[in-house]
Amino acid sequence: MKGDYQELVDEISALLGAPATLENRDFRLIAFGQQVSADEYDETALDPVRTRSILTRGSTSAVRAWFEGFGIARATEPVRIPATPEAGVYRGRVCLPVRHRGIVLGYVWLLDDEPGPTQEQLDAAMEVAGRIGAQLADEAQAGADLTREFHSVLTAERGWQRDMAVAALRTALGGRADGLHTVVCVAPWPSADPDDAPSVRTLPAADALCTVPWGVTGQCL
């Protein structure tokens, strides 16, 4: 998966003509593009904050709080952050929030130079950021909930397919498999498209959330 993120970060760098880094929402580094060439190097190209992020693959809580003070965790569009040398930020930043279904999952950071990227370039970069968000969400879901296994149980044909799906769900549940679980059905749901289902993160304590076909064509639960 890391290679996929690297390709997406490089795509954003190419679109905006600026070096980019990708961090998760906890400011842990995931991928970064080439920052400067040997011929272009100058001491301000990699300021202390960016250097620390790359070398230690993370940022301090103070740096995180400083950047979050610009509203990046709530933003749905690119956020421009001015250079602030006293904070170790010698170069301005453009922050592209990486979101999926309304949840911020990370940030793409670019050094901001005048005149900066056009709105058309930023729109194209945000489309790539959306693809990054979908990939981050898939990884988080695979490790955090049982949506795929639960969906297989609900949709498998009766017989050995259903038995295998139930066995996979029991394995994924681990020690919780013998406990009590509640299944809540909301029907009809307006769309069978999995992308139209709310994120499992929006439902505290939920292990899985999915849509499945139900009854009349066009209805689902």
PDB file of all heavy atoms in Angstrom, residues 172-212:
ATOM      1  N   ALA A 172     -12.913 -13.543  12.625  1.00  0.00           N
ATOM      2  CA  ALA A 172     -12.622 -12.119  12.770  1.00  0.00           C
ATOM      3  C   ALA A 172     -13.049 -11.597  14.140  1.00  0.00           C
ATOM      4  O   ALA A 172     -12.400 -10.721  14.714  1.00  0.00           O
ATOM      5  CB  ALA A 172     -13.323 -11.328  11.663  1.00  0.00           C
ATOM      6  N   LEU A 173     -14.132 -12.137  14.681  1.00  0.00           N
ATOM      7  CA  LEU A 173     -14.610 -11.715  15.997  1.00  0.00           C
ATOM      8  C   LEU A 173     -13.699 -12.203  17.116  1.00  0.00           C
ATOM      9  O   LEU A 173     -13.625 -11.592  18.181  1.00  0.00           O
ATOM     10  CB  LEU A 173     -16.029 -12.234  16.237  1.00  0.00           C
ATOM     11  CG  LEU A 173     -17.161 -11.474  15.548  1.00  0.00           C
ATOM     12  CD1 LEU A 173     -18.451 -12.276  15.614  1.00  0.00           C
ATOM     13  CD2 LEU A 173     -17.352 -10.104  16.188  1.00  0.00           C
ATOM     14  N   GLY A 174     -13.011 -13.294  16.886  1.00  0.00           N
ATOM     15  CA  GLY A 174     -12.110 -13.818  17.909  1.00  0.00           C
ATOM     16  C   GLY A 174     -12.869 -14.212  19.160  1.00  0.00           C
ATOM     17  O   GLY A 174     -13.885 -14.915  19.110  1.00  0.00           O
ATOM     18  N   GLY A 175     -12.388 -13.732  20.300  1.00  0.00           N
ATOM     19  CA  GLY A 175     -13.001 -14.077  21.574  1.00  0.00           C
ATOM     20  C   GLY A 175     -14.409 -13.555  21.747  1.00  0.00           C
ATOM     21  O   GLY A 175     -15.149 -14.021  22.624  1.00  0.00           O
ATOM     22  N   ARG A 176     -14.809 -12.608  20.905  1.00  0.00           N
ATOM     23  CA  ARG A 176     -16.167 -12.054  21.008  1.00  0.00           C
ATOM     24  C   ARG A 176     -17.198 -12.900  20.280  1.00  0.00           C
ATOM     25  O   ARG A 176     -18.396 -12.629  20.349  1.00  0.00           O
ATOM     26  CB  ARG A 176     -16.194 -10.638  20.431  1.00  0.00           C
ATOM     27  CG  ARG A 176     -15.350  -9.630  21.196  1.00  0.00           C
ATOM     28  CD  ARG A 176     -15.368  -8.281  20.495  1.00  0.00           C
ATOM     29  NE  ARG A 176     -14.691  -8.344  19.201  1.00  0.00           N
ATOM     30  CZ  ARG A 176     -14.877  -7.466  18.221  1.00  0.00           C
ATOM     31  NH1 ARG A 176     -15.746  -6.489  18.372  1.00  0.00           N
ATOM     32  NH2 ARG A 176     -14.202  -7.580  17.088  1.00  0.00           N
ATOM     33  N   ALA A 177     -16.750 -13.924  19.562  1.00  0.00           N
ATOM     34  CA  ALA A 177     -17.663 -14.702  18.719  1.00  0.00           C
ATOM     35  C   ALA A 177     -18.773 -15.374  19.514  1.00  0.00           C
ATOM     36  O   ALA A 177     -19.881 -15.577  19.004  1.00  0.00           O
ATOM     37  CB  ALA A 177     -16.875 -15.748  17.928  1.00  0.00           C
ATOM     38  N   ASP A 178     -18.500 -15.750  20.760  1.00  0.00           N
ATOM     39  CA  ASP A 178     -19.503 -16.448  21.562  1.00  0.00           C
ATOM     40  C   ASP A 178     -20.343 -15.496  22.405  1.00  0.00           C
ATOM     41  O   ASP A 178     -21.216 -15.938  23.158  1.00  0.00           O
ATOM     42  CB  ASP A 178     -18.819 -17.468  22.479  1.00  0.00           C
ATOM     43  CG  ASP A 178     -18.153 -18.586  21.684  1.00  0.00           C
ATOM     44  OD1 ASP A 178     -18.724 -18.980  20.650  1.00  0.00           O
ATOM     45  OD2 ASP A 178     -17.065 -19.040  22.096  1.00  0.00           O
ATOM     46  N   GLY A 179     -20.086 -14.197  22.270  1.00  0.00           N
ATOM     47  CA  GLY A 179     -20.853 -13.220  23.028  1.00  0.00           C
ATOM     48  C   GLY A 179     -22.142 -12.833  22.322  1.00  0.00           C
ATOM     49  O   GLY A 179     -22.455 -13.312  21.225  1.00  0.00           O
ATOM     50  N   LEU A 180     -22.899 -11.953  22.962  1.00  0.00           N
ATOM     51  CA  LEU A 180     -24.177 -11.497  22.418  1.00  0.00           C
ATOM     52  C   LEU A 180     -23.956 -10.298  21.505  1.00  0.00           C
ATOM     53  O   LEU A 180     -23.244  -9.356  21.855  1.00  0.00           O
ATOM     54  CB  LEU A 180     -25.121 -11.105  23.561  1.00  0.00           C
ATOM     55  CG  LEU A 180     -26.525 -10.636  23.161  1.00  0.00           C
ATOM     56  CD1 LEU A 180     -27.294 -11.772  22.490  1.00  0.00           C
ATOM     57  CD2 LEU A 180     -27.276 -10.124  24.391  1.00  0.00           C
ATOM     58  N   HIS A 181     -24.561 -10.341  20.322  1.00  0.00           N
ATOM     59  CA  HIS A 181     -24.466  -9.236  19.372  1.00  0.00           C
ATOM     60  C   HIS A 181     -25.871  -8.854  18.915  1.00  0.00           C
ATOM     61  O   HIS A 181     -26.754  -9.710  18.803  1.00  0.00           O
ATOM     62  CB  HIS A 181     -23.623  -9.628  18.152  1.00  0.00           C
ATOM     63  CG  HIS A 181     -22.209  -9.973  18.490  1.00  0.00           C
ATOM     64  ND1 HIS A 181     -21.197  -9.048  18.526  1.00  0.00           N
ATOM     65  CD2 HIS A 181     -21.646 -11.153  18.840  1.00  0.00           C
ATOM     66  CE1 HIS A 181     -20.066  -9.638  18.870  1.00  0.00           C
ATOM     67  NE2 HIS A 181     -20.316 -10.919  19.068  1.00  0.00           N
ATOM     68  N   THR A 182     -26.065  -7.593  18.662  1.00  0.00           N
ATOM     69  CA  THR A 182     -27.360  -7.088  18.209  1.00  0.00           C
ATOM     70  C   THR A 182     -27.249  -6.611  16.769  1.00  0.00           C
ATOM     71  O   THR A 182     -26.343  -5.851  16.428  1.00  0.00           O
ATOM     72  CB  THR A 182     -27.832  -5.918  19.090  1.00  0.00           C
ATOM     73  OG1 THR A 182     -27.934  -6.360  20.448  1.00  0.00           O
ATOM     74  CG2 THR A 182     -29.186  -5.400  18.621  1.00  0.00           C
ATOM     75  N   VAL A 183     -28.166  -7.073  15.932  1.00  0.00           N
ATOM     76  CA  VAL A 183     -28.223  -6.630  14.542  1.00  0.00           C
ATOM     77  C   VAL A 183     -29.415  -5.693  14.397  1.00  0.00           C
ATOM     78  O   VAL A 183     -30.549  -6.060  14.728  1.00  0.00           O
ATOM     79  CB  VAL A 183     -28.365  -7.820  13.572  1.00  0.00           C
ATOM     80  CG1 VAL A 183     -28.513  -7.315  12.136  1.00  0.00           C
ATOM     81  CG2 VAL A 183     -27.164  -8.749  13.689  1.00  0.00           C
ATOM     82  N   VAL A 184     -29.160  -4.494  13.932  1.00  0.00           N
ATOM     83  CA  VAL A 184     -30.211  -3.495  13.733  1.00  0.00           C
ATOM     84  C   VAL A 184     -30.410  -3.298  12.241  1.00  0.00           C
ATOM     85  O   VAL A 184     -29.455  -3.043  11.505  1.00  0.00           O
ATOM     86  CB  VAL A 184     -29.838  -2.151  14.396  1.00  0.00           C
ATOM     87  CG1 VAL A 184     -30.921  -1.114  14.130  1.00  0.00           C
ATOM     88  CG2 VAL A 184     -29.629  -2.345  15.893  1.00  0.00           C
ATOM     89  N   CYS A 185     -31.645  -3.419  11.791  1.00  0.00           N
ATOM     90  CA  CYS A 185     -31.967  -3.268  10.372  1.00  0.00           C
ATOM     91  C   CYS A 185     -32.751  -1.974  10.160  1.00  0.00           C
ATOM     92  O   CYS A 185     -33.751  -1.730  10.833  1.00  0.00           O
ATOM     93  CB  CYS A 185     -32.790  -4.464   9.898  1.00  0.00           C
ATOM     94  SG  CYS A 185     -33.432  -4.298   8.225  1.00  0.00           S
ATOM     95  N   VAL A 186     -32.277  -1.155   9.246  1.00  0.00           N
ATOM     96  CA  VAL A 186     -32.978   0.073   8.864  1.00  0.00           C
ATOM     97  C   VAL A 186     -33.424  -0.105   7.418  1.00  0.00           C
ATOM     98  O   VAL A 186     -32.596  -0.195   6.513  1.00  0.00           O
ATOM     99  CB  VAL A 186     -32.064   1.309   8.986  1.00  0.00           C
ATOM    100  CG1 VAL A 186     -32.819   2.565   8.561  1.00  0.00           C
ATOM    101  CG2 VAL A 186     -31.544   1.449  10.413  1.00  0.00           C
ATOM    102  N   ALA A 187     -34.736  -0.191   7.196  1.00  0.00           N
ATOM    103  CA  ALA A 187     -35.218  -0.478   5.849  1.00  0.00           C
ATOM    104  C   ALA A 187     -36.460   0.357   5.541  1.00  0.00           C
ATOM    105  O   ALA A 187     -37.293   0.590   6.414  1.00  0.00           O
ATOM    106  CB  ALA A 187     -35.550  -1.964   5.726  1.00  0.00           C
ATOM    107  N   PRO A 188     -36.595   0.817   4.300  1.00  0.00           N
ATOM    108  CA  PRO A 188     -35.569   0.673   3.258  1.00  0.00           C
ATOM    109  C   PRO A 188     -34.528   1.781   3.344  1.00  0.00           C
ATOM    110  O   PRO A 188     -34.835   2.894   3.751  1.00  0.00           O
ATOM    111  CB  PRO A 188     -36.382   0.801   1.969  1.00  0.00           C
ATOM    112  CG  PRO A 188     -37.494   1.746   2.348  1.00  0.00           C
ATOM    113  CD  PRO A 188     -37.833   1.415   3.791  1.00  0.00           C
ATOM    114  N   TRP A 189     -33.303   1.468   2.970  1.00  0.00           N
ATOM    115  CA  TRP A 189     -32.249   2.470   2.852  1.00  0.00           C
ATOM    116  C   TRP A 189     -32.306   3.015   1.428  1.00  0.00           C
ATOM    117  O   TRP A 189     -32.605   2.271   0.489  1.00  0.00           O
ATOM    118  CB  TRP A 189     -30.887   1.827   3.137  1.00  0.00           C
ATOM    119  CG  TRP A 189     -29.783   2.821   3.330  1.00  0.00           C
ATOM    120  CD1 TRP A 189     -28.822   3.159   2.434  1.00  0.00           C
ATOM    121  CD2 TRP A 189     -29.535   3.612   4.491  1.00  0.00           C
ATOM    122  NE1 TRP A 189     -27.984   4.109   2.958  1.00  0.00           N
ATOM    123  CE2 TRP A 189     -28.400   4.411   4.225  1.00  0.00           C
ATOM    124  CE3 TRP A 189     -30.162   3.733   5.732  1.00  0.00           C
ATOM    125  CZ2 TRP A 189     -27.880   5.309   5.151  1.00  0.00           C
ATOM    126  CZ3 TRP A 189     -29.645   4.619   6.653  1.00  0.00           C
ATOM    127  CH2 TRP A 189     -28.518   5.397   6.362  1.00  0.00           C
ATOM    128  N   PRO A 190     -32.057   4.308   1.219  1.00  0.00           N
ATOM    129  CA  PRO A 190     -32.297   4.893  -0.106  1.00  0.00           C
ATOM    130  C   PRO A 190     -31.366   4.433  -1.219  1.00  0.00           C
ATOM    131  O   PRO A 190     -31.677   4.613  -2.385  1.00  0.00           O
ATOM    132  CB  PRO A 190     -32.134   6.399   0.142  1.00  0.00           C
ATOM    133  CG  PRO A 190     -31.302   6.497   1.376  1.00  0.00           C
ATOM    134  CD  PRO A 190     -31.692   5.321   2.219  1.00  0.00           C
ATOM    135  N   SER A 191     -30.228   3.833  -0.894  1.00  0.00           N
ATOM    136  CA  SER A 191     -29.285   3.472  -1.951  1.00  0.00           C
ATOM    137  C   SER A 191     -28.526   2.216  -1.575  1.00  0.00           C
ATOM    138  O   SER A 191     -28.140   2.028  -0.425  1.00  0.00           O
ATOM    139  CB  SER A 191     -28.295   4.611  -2.204  1.00  0.00           C
ATOM    140  OG  SER A 191     -27.267   4.208  -3.096  1.00  0.00           O
ATOM    141  N   ALA A 192     -28.298   1.362  -2.566  1.00  0.00           N
ATOM    142  CA  ALA A 192     -27.519   0.147  -2.344  1.00  0.00           C
ATOM    143  C   ALA A 192     -26.030   0.374  -2.562  1.00  0.00           C
ATOM    144  O   ALA A 192     -25.228  -0.529  -2.354  1.00  0.00           O
ATOM    145  CB  ALA A 192     -28.006  -0.963  -3.276  1.00  0.00           C
ATOM    146  N   ASP A 193     -25.662   1.572  -2.980  1.00  0.00           N
ATOM    147  CA  ASP A 193     -24.251   1.883  -3.222  1.00  0.00           C
ATOM    148  C   ASP A 193     -23.509   1.905  -1.889  1.00  0.00           C
ATOM    149  O   ASP A 193     -23.863   2.675  -0.995  1.00  0.00           O
ATOM    150  CB  ASP A 193     -24.132   3.248  -3.900  1.00  0.00           C
ATOM    151  CG  ASP A 193     -22.707   3.557  -4.348  1.00  0.00           C
ATOM    152  OD1 ASP A 193     -21.775   2.907  -3.828  1.00  0.00           O
ATOM    153  OD2 ASP A 193     -22.532   4.442  -5.197  1.00  0.00           O
ATOM    154  N   PRO A 194     -22.462   1.068  -1.714  1.00  0.00           N
ATOM    155  CA  PRO A 194     -21.720   1.052  -0.448  1.00  0.00           C
ATOM    156  C   PRO A 194     -21.170   2.414  -0.063  1.00  0.00           C
ATOM    157  O   PRO A 194     -21.038   2.730   1.122  1.00  0.00           O
ATOM    158  CB  PRO A 194     -20.587   0.052  -0.723  1.00  0.00           C
ATOM    159  CG  PRO A 194     -21.093  -0.808  -1.824  1.00  0.00           C
ATOM    160  CD  PRO A 194     -21.947   0.083  -2.676  1.00  0.00           C
ATOM    161  N   ASP A 195     -20.859   3.253  -1.053  1.00  0.00           N
ATOM    162  CA  ASP A 195     -20.310   4.571  -0.752  1.00  0.00           C
ATOM    163  C   ASP A 195     -21.342   5.500  -0.126  1.00  0.00           C
ATOM    164  O   ASP A 195     -20.993   6.556   0.406  1.00  0.00           O
ATOM    165  CB  ASP A 195     -19.745   5.222  -2.020  1.00  0.00           C
ATOM    166  CG  ASP A 195     -18.459   4.556  -2.474  1.00  0.00           C
ATOM    167  OD1 ASP A 195     -17.803   3.917  -1.624  1.00  0.00           O
ATOM    168  OD2 ASP A 195     -18.120   4.661  -3.662  1.00  0.00           O
ATOM    169  N   ASP A 196     -22.625   5.123  -0.207  1.00  0.00           N
ATOM    170  CA  ASP A 196     -23.674   5.954   0.377  1.00  0.00           C
ATOM    171  C   ASP A 196     -23.986   5.570   1.820  1.00  0.00           C
ATOM    172  O   ASP A 196     -24.811   6.207   2.468  1.00  0.00           O
ATOM    173  CB  ASP A 196     -24.960   5.852  -0.457  1.00  0.00           C
ATOM    174  CG  ASP A 196     -24.818   6.526  -1.813  1.00  0.00           C
ATOM    175  OD1 ASP A 196     -23.980   7.440  -1.924  1.00  0.00           O
ATOM    176  OD2 ASP A 196     -25.523   6.130  -2.751  1.00  0.00           O
ATOM    177  N   ALA A 197     -23.354   4.524   2.314  1.00  0.00           N
ATOM    178  CA  ALA A 197     -23.562   4.136   3.707  1.00  0.00           C
ATOM    179  C   ALA A 197     -22.715   5.024   4.607  1.00  0.00           C
ATOM    180  O   ALA A 197     -21.606   5.403   4.245  1.00  0.00           O
ATOM    181  CB  ALA A 197     -23.170   2.671   3.914  1.00  0.00           C
ATOM    182  N   PRO A 198     -23.222   5.392   5.783  1.00  0.00           N
ATOM    183  CA  PRO A 198     -22.411   6.214   6.692  1.00  0.00           C
ATOM    184  C   PRO A 198     -21.200   5.441   7.183  1.00  0.00           C
ATOM    185  O   PRO A 198     -21.178   4.210   7.189  1.00  0.00           O
ATOM    186  CB  PRO A 198     -23.382   6.529   7.839  1.00  0.00           C
ATOM    187  CG  PRO A 198     -24.396   5.439   7.789  1.00  0.00           C
ATOM    188  CD  PRO A 198     -24.540   5.079   6.341  1.00  0.00           C
ATOM    189  N   SER A 199     -20.174   6.158   7.588  1.00  0.00           N
ATOM    190  CA  SER A 199     -18.975   5.518   8.113  1.00  0.00           C
ATOM    191  C   SER A 199     -19.278   4.842   9.438  1.00  0.00           C
ATOM    192  O   SER A 199     -20.042   5.359  10.254  1.00  0.00           O
ATOM    193  CB  SER A 199     -17.868   6.555   8.302  1.00  0.00           C
ATOM    194  OG  SER A 199     -16.798   6.015   9.057  1.00  0.00           O
ATOM    195  N   VAL A 200     -18.659   3.681   9.660  1.00  0.00           N
ATOM    196  CA  VAL A 200     -18.861   2.982  10.924  1.00  0.00           C
ATOM    197  C   VAL A 200     -18.359   3.821  12.092  1.00  0.00           C
ATOM    198  O   VAL A 200     -18.792   3.664  13.230  1.00  0.00           O
ATOM    199  CB  VAL A 200     -18.170   1.600  10.891  1.00  0.00           C
ATOM    200  CG1 VAL A 200     -16.659   1.751  10.959  1.00  0.00           C
ATOM    201  CG2 VAL A 200     -18.671   0.705  12.009  1.00  0.00           C
ATOM    202  N   ARG A 201     -17.438   4.760  11.803  1.00  0.00           N
ATOM    203  CA  ARG A 201     -16.921   5.617  12.872  1.00  0.00           C
ATOM    204  C   ARG A 201     -17.992   6.551  13.431  1.00  0.00           C
ATOM    205  O   ARG A 201     -17.845   7.097  14.517  1.00  0.00           O
ATOM    206  CB  ARG A 201     -15.744   6.457  12.358  1.00  0.00           C
ATOM    207  CG  ARG A 201     -14.496   5.669  12.049  1.00  0.00           C
ATOM    208  CD  ARG A 201     -13.343   6.625  11.757  1.00  0.00           C
ATOM    209  NE  ARG A 201     -12.136   5.915  11.410  1.00  0.00           N
ATOM    210  CZ  ARG A 201     -11.843   5.504  10.193  1.00  0.00           C
ATOM    211  NH1 ARG A 201     -12.685   5.745   9.216  1.00  0.00           N
ATOM    212  NH2 ARG A 201     -10.730   4.859   9.937  1.00  0.00           N
ATOM    213  N   THR A 202     -19.065   6.773  12.662  1.00  0.00           N
ATOM    214  CA  THR A 202     -20.115   7.670  13.134  1.00  0.00           C
ATOM    215  C   THR A 202     -21.066   6.975  14.101  1.00  0.00           C
ATOM    216  O   THR A 202     -21.941   7.617  14.671  1.00  0.00           O
ATOM    217  CB  THR A 202     -20.926   8.237  11.950  1.00  0.00           C
ATOM    218  OG1 THR A 202     -21.613   7.160  11.292  1.00  0.00           O
ATOM    219  CG2 THR A 202     -20.017   8.936  10.960  1.00  0.00           C
ATOM    220  N   LEU A 203     -20.908   5.672  14.282  1.00  0.00           N
ATOM    221  CA  LEU A 203     -21.775   4.912  15.182  1.00  0.00           C
ATOM    222  C   LEU A 203     -20.912   4.283  16.268  1.00  0.00           C
ATOM    223  O   LEU A 203     -20.320   3.222  16.061  1.00  0.00           O
ATOM    224  CB  LEU A 203     -22.530   3.822  14.412  1.00  0.00           C
ATOM    225  CG  LEU A 203     -23.443   4.307  13.282  1.00  0.00           C
ATOM    226  CD1 LEU A 203     -24.048   3.130  12.547  1.00  0.00           C
ATOM    227  CD2 LEU A 203     -24.548   5.197  13.839  1.00  0.00           C
ATOM    228  N   PRO A 204     -20.816   4.907  17.423  1.00  0.00           N
ATOM    229  CA  PRO A 204     -19.975   4.381  18.499  1.00  0.00           C
ATOM    230  C   PRO A 204     -20.322   2.935  18.837  1.00  0.00           C
ATOM    231  O   PRO A 204     -21.493   2.561  18.906  1.00  0.00           O
ATOM    232  CB  PRO A 204     -20.283   5.322  19.674  1.00  0.00           C
ATOM    233  CG  PRO A 204     -20.738   6.589  19.025  1.00  0.00           C
ATOM    234  CD  PRO A 204     -21.489   6.162  17.796  1.00  0.00           C
ATOM    235  N   ALA A 205     -19.293   2.120  19.016  1.00  0.00           N
ATOM    236  CA  ALA A 205     -19.408   0.714  19.418  1.00  0.00           C
ATOM    237  C   ALA A 205     -19.900  -0.198  18.303  1.00  0.00           C
ATOM    238  O   ALA A 205     -20.062  -1.400  18.514  1.00  0.00           O
ATOM    239  CB  ALA A 205     -20.308   0.557  20.645  1.00  0.00           C
ATOM    240  N   ALA A 206     -20.133   0.334  17.100  1.00  0.00           N
ATOM    241  CA  ALA A 206     -20.560  -0.524  15.993  1.00  0.00           C
ATOM    242  C   ALA A 206     -19.364  -1.302  15.455  1.00  0.00           C
ATOM    243  O   ALA A 206     -18.286  -0.752  15.262  1.00  0.00           O
ATOM    244  CB  ALA A 206     -21.180   0.312  14.883  1.00  0.00           C
ATOM    245  N   ASP A 207     -19.558  -2.593  15.210  1.00  0.00           N
ATOM    246  CA  ASP A 207     -18.505  -3.424  14.640  1.00  0.00           C
ATOM    247  C   ASP A 207     -18.594  -3.493  13.124  1.00  0.00           C
ATOM    248  O   ASP A 207     -17.603  -3.765  12.449  1.00  0.00           O
ATOM    249  CB  ASP A 207     -18.582  -4.848  15.200  1.00  0.00           C
ATOM    250  CG  ASP A 207     -18.078  -4.936  16.630  1.00  0.00           C
ATOM    251  OD1 ASP A 207     -17.078  -4.265  16.939  1.00  0.00           O
ATOM    252  OD2 ASP A 207     -18.687  -5.657  17.434  1.00  0.00           O
ATOM    253  N   ALA A 208     -19.785  -3.290  12.581  1.00  0.00           N
ATOM    254  CA  ALA A 208     -19.963  -3.396  11.135  1.00  0.00           C
ATOM    255  C   ALA A 208     -21.183  -2.599  10.714  1.00  0.00           C
ATOM    256  O   ALA A 208     -22.137  -2.433  11.484  1.00  0.00           O
ATOM    257  CB  ALA A 208     -20.125  -4.861  10.722  1.00  0.00           C
ATOM    258  N   LEU A 209     -21.141  -2.112   9.476  1.00  0.00           N
ATOM    259  CA  LEU A 209     -22.268  -1.371   8.927  1.00  0.00           C
ATOM    260  C   LEU A 209     -22.221  -1.535   7.416  1.00  0.00           C
ATOM    261  O   LEU A 209     -21.208  -1.245   6.787  1.00  0.00           O
ATOM    262  CB  LEU A 209     -22.171   0.112   9.307  1.00  0.00           C
ATOM    263  CG  LEU A 209     -23.382   0.992   9.006  1.00  0.00           C
ATOM    264  CD1 LEU A 209     -23.417   2.172   9.965  1.00  0.00           C
ATOM    265  CD2 LEU A 209     -23.364   1.498   7.570  1.00  0.00           C
ATOM    266  N   CYS A 210     -23.288  -2.051   6.831  1.00  0.00           N
ATOM    267  CA  CYS A 210     -23.272  -2.271   5.392  1.00  0.00           C
ATOM    268  C   CYS A 210     -24.686  -2.182   4.832  1.00  0.00           C
ATOM    269  O   CYS A 210     -25.673  -2.200   5.572  1.00  0.00           O
ATOM    270  CB  CYS A 210     -22.658  -3.631   5.056  1.00  0.00           C
ATOM    271  SG  CYS A 210     -23.557  -5.041   5.733  1.00  0.00           S
ATOM    272  N   THR A 211     -24.772  -2.073   3.512  1.00  0.00           N
ATOM    273  CA  THR A 211     -26.060  -2.096   2.828  1.00  0.00           C
ATOM    274  C   THR A 211     -26.153  -3.384   2.025  1.00  0.00           C
ATOM    275  O   THR A 211     -25.167  -3.845   1.450  1.00  0.00           O
ATOM    276  CB  THR A 211     -26.210  -0.892   1.881  1.00  0.00           C
ATOM    277  OG1 THR A 211     -25.139  -0.898   0.931  1.00  0.00           O
ATOM    278  CG2 THR A 211     -26.180   0.411   2.658  1.00  0.00           C
ATOM    279  N   VAL A 212     -27.340  -3.973   1.990  1.00  0.00           N
ATOM    280  CA  VAL A 212     -27.557  -5.206   1.227  1.00  0.00           C
ATOM    281  C   VAL A 212     -28.893  -5.108   0.501  1.00  0.00           C
ATOM    282  O   VAL A 212     -29.799  -4.393   0.942  1.00  0.00           O
ATOM    283  CB  VAL A 212     -27.562  -6.453   2.145  1.00  0.00           C
ATOM    284  CG1 VAL A 212     -26.200  -6.659   2.777  1.00  0.00           C
ATOM    285  CG2 VAL A 212     -28.634  -6.351   3.214  1.00  0.00           C
TER     286      VAL A 212
END
